Amino acid sequence: MSLHAQYLESFLRSQFYMLRMDGPLPLPHRHYIAIMAAARHQCSYLINMHVDEFLKTGGIAEWLNGLEYVPQRLKNLNEINKLLAHRPWLITKEHIQKLVKTGENNWSLPELVHAVVLLAHYHALASFVFGSGINPERDPEISNGFRLISVNNFCVCDLANDNSIENASLTGNNFGIVDSLSELEALMDRMKRLREEREDEEASQEEMTTRFEKEKKESLFVVSGDTFHSFPHSDFEDDMIITSDVSRYIEDPGFGYEDFARRGEEHLPTFRAQDYTWENHGFSLVNRLYSDIGHLLDEKFRMVYNLTYNTMATHEGVDTTTLRRALFNYVHCMFGIRYDDYDYGEVNQLLERSLKVYIKTVTCYPERTTKRMYDSYWRQFKHSEKVHVNLLLMEARMQAELLYALRAITRHLT
């Protein structure tokens, strides 16, 4: 993140506030909730970090044996942790009622908002960790099964300089530099064309709706590694072996984002963004129940949405607004969130298939992200630019989870 210093400052401010400053929840509980959230994606990097913090802040060591050792109250967060992480559109006011009206184990609304902010933050942060290759990757040849991966054959410390990286994967590929250069030119060309078309004509509301529904439906079938097409379900799960040290912090480990799309049993409803926006609804609710965190989150969302250096790979002076918006809105589209004033045709124009596979994987099942996926999109772009993409995906995901959870809390209140 230090490749984007402005953003990092904003990120650390909000994370410090939710973990360390005055708030409804006791410090050890905050770290335990972080562990529960990271465990949904088997993110051992974050789990280990917060196990240490949990103990340092006076947490009861026995809780680290698993959920059956924690107070019922914390255990009751299981369901909302699971839904927020994988299918936030299923969260209803009934889930909220259950948590706030369970006798001696009930949650106050400020406590619940604090917990929800932590859960969403750590689900999204797991996406960033896996997307940027920070989590140790399983390696059967090493005795303890873990090795730290280095992105693009450079140690992570080199990445901070970001200047020596001419995408290392290029040399190993059969594509020449020429291919990926023409890829870059073509993308810039499409961005320019979209800007011009937008000035010329506006699509009708019906057409805009159709484009969104089409994109939403297609996004369900964009799958990591394209393995689903050739293998039955069971073969795909070989790489999903959940280690017991992680599974003790969650229930129903098999529950994920993708299985409803494949079975086609469940319909992903559309959440009309203007009916419940972060700016007009979510922000004020969070601020009312858990003071100041709303401002810090808002600053972080704005920061990432507007962050730009006006460069694309080797080109300078480029307006990347359309591209940044397509990335952010595509994540929301995968969670069923639709912006009326956005033309989802742009997503198709700007995001190539390998990038869509990467976005879907990092956002919906980050534990399956591979270095190959990371290398396969935008081959001319600098590592810092791909980290920038990961920041956008992380914040878009966090905001989507918050919108669903806060909407349910608002409905509970009304």
Side-chain angles (χ1 to χ4, degrees):
M1 283 186 193
S2 63
L3 293 168
H4 303 281
Q6 264 179 302
Y7 170 81
L8 177 61
E9 207 178 299
S10 186
F11 172 85
L12 291 174
R13 259 202 303 276
S14 64
Q15 184 172 265
F16 186 82
Y17 189 86
M18 62 181 89
L19 289 175
R20 301 254 186 273
M21 300 293 279
D22 277 354
L25 293 172
L27 296 183
H29 283 60
R30 303 178 192 193
H31 293 291
Y32 202 86
I33 290 168
I35 293 168
M36 287 171 72
R40 284 298 337 165
H41 291 303
Q42 302 129 61
C43 186
S44 45
Y45 174 84
L46 290 174
I47 291 170
N48 296 338
M49 195 189 278
H50 287 282
V51 160
D52 288 349
E53 291 292 326
F54 172 75
L55 293 170
K56 273 187 205 146
T57 52
I60 298 165
E62 196 190 8
W63 292 12
L64 298 174
N65 293 331
L67 285 177
E68 57 271 32
Y69 296 88
V70 306
Q72 187 58 40
R73 212 163 154 265
L74 269 176
K75 219 189 280 181
N76 290 348
L77 280 181
N78 253 318
E79 186 69 7
I80 205 165
N81 181 25
K82 178 177 93 170
L83 295 178
L84 261 184
H86 307 295
R87 304 186 207 164
W89 54 90
L90 294 180
I91 292 177
T92 62
K93 66 176 186 190
E94 282 72 30
H95 293 107
I96 306 303
Q97 273 153 8
K98 232 179 178 162
L99 287 164
V100 296
K101 295 188 175 152
T102 38
E104 75 272 25
N105 297 316
N106 67 344
W107 288 76
S108 71
L109 279 174
E111 287 172 330
L112 185 56
V113 167
H114 193 171
V116 158
V117 167
L118 284 164
L119 291 171
H121 176 79
Y122 281 99
H123 295 152
L125 190 53
S127 282
F128 181 81
V129 165
F130 283 111
S132 307
I134 296 164
N135 204 52
E137 227 178 41
R138 294 207 147 277
D139 189 340
E141 287 162 32
I142 295 173
S143 54
N144 68 355
F146 281 118
R147 66 191 165 92
L148 269 165
I149 62 165
S150 53
V151 185
N152 286 356
N153 311 336
F154 289 87
C155 134
V156 177
C157 48
D158 292 341
L159 295 179
N161 308 325
D162 194 45
N163 39 22
S164 55
I165 297 176
E166 283 305 309
N167 199 335
S169 61
L170 277 175
T171 46
N173 282 340
N174 354 352
F175 317 103
I177 300 269
V178 186
D179 269 359
S180 64
L181 270 174
S182 58
E183 218 175 59
L184 172 67
E185 299 301 337
L187 175 59
M188 293 185 65
D189 207 44
R190 286 197 299 276
M191 285 164 70
K192 187 164 164 262
R193 232 186 17 251
L194 280 173
R195 271 199 302 277
E196 289 161 1
E197 282 169 13
R198 212 183 292 136
E199 285 156 18
D200 291 349
E201 53 163 335
E202 288 224 334
S204 69
Q205 273 313 113
E206 289 83 348
E207 176 58 22
M208 299 272 266
T209 307
T210 309
R211 286 176 191 178
F212 170 77
E213 290 300 333
K214 178 172 177 285
E215 201 53 58
K216 182 177 80 170
K217 198 164 161 206
E218 281 176 9
S219 80
L220 300 179
F221 298 99
V222 170
V223 278
S224 29
D226 285 348
T227 14
F228 288 168
H229 299 313
S230 45
F231 295 118
H233 184 41
S234 56
D235 292 353
F236 194 62
E237 302 213 310
D238 294 348
D239 59 349
M240 292 287 292
I241 299 156
I242 298 183
T243 51
S244 59
D245 54 327
V246 172
S247 63
R248 68 178 86 167
Y249 300 118
I250 52 173
E251 280 173 5
D252 196 0
F255 186 91
Y257 173 93
E258 81 295 334
D259 33 17
F260 78 92
R262 244 171 319 165
R263 291 197 308 266
E265 283 168 11
E266 218 177 282
H267 169 61
L268 171 53
T270 293
F271 179 129
R272 292 175 63 228
Q274 70 279 19
D275 294 345
Y276 195 93
T277 64
W278 164 254
E279 294 76 14
N280 301 334
H281 308 89
F283 169 75
S284 54
L285 178 69
V286 167
N287 251 8
R288 195 170 88 227
L289 292 169
Y290 177 19
S291 60
D292 286 347
I293 192 68
H295 289 292
L296 292 165
L297 293 175
D298 192 56
E299 182 201 348
K300 184 163 64 88
F301 291 146
R302 283 173 200 273
M303 166 69 68
V304 83
Y305 198 73
N306 297 316
L307 183 68
T308 181
Y309 306 93
N310 297 310
T311 60
M312 271 176 74
T314 47
H315 295 261
E316 294 184 0
V318 188
D319 179 0
T320 57
T321 314
T322 48
L323 198 51
R324 297 196 314 273
R325 193 157 45 166
L327 289 163
F328 198 91
N329 288 358
Y330 186 56
V331 171
H332 280 196
C333 171
M334 289 188 299
F335 289 111
I337 299 171
R338 173 180 178 225
Y339 296 89
D340 272 10
D341 58 350
Y342 183 69
D343 176 1
Y344 287 84
E346 294 192 8
V347 164
N348 250 348
Q349 297 269 322
L350 297 174
L351 310 182
E352 63 195 51
R353 175 153 183 88
S354 58
L355 175 53
K356 281 183 170 177
V357 166
Y358 177 78
I359 295 171
K360 172 87 181 265
T361 309
V362 166
T363 308
C364 301
Y365 13 77
E367 60 281 5
R368 295 182 193 169
T369 314
T370 63
K371 184 173 178 307
R372 200 179 81 217
M373 285 177 202
Y374 179 91
D375 288 339
S376 68
Y377 83 92
W378 287 0
R379 298 189 304 270
Q380 271 295 300
F381 281 63
K382 295 196 282 285
H383 176 65
S384 64
E385 291 173 308
K386 291 192 168 189
V387 170
H388 189 173
V389 168
N390 286 341
L391 295 176
L392 271 163
L393 303 183
M394 164 171 77
E395 294 298 349
R397 175 179 180 184
M398 180 176 186
Q399 196 182 88
E401 287 191 24
L402 283 177
L403 284 172
Y404 278 110
L406 297 172
R407 182 179 69 167
I409 291 174
T410 300
R411 285 176 174 171
H412 159 73
L413 287 169
T414 45

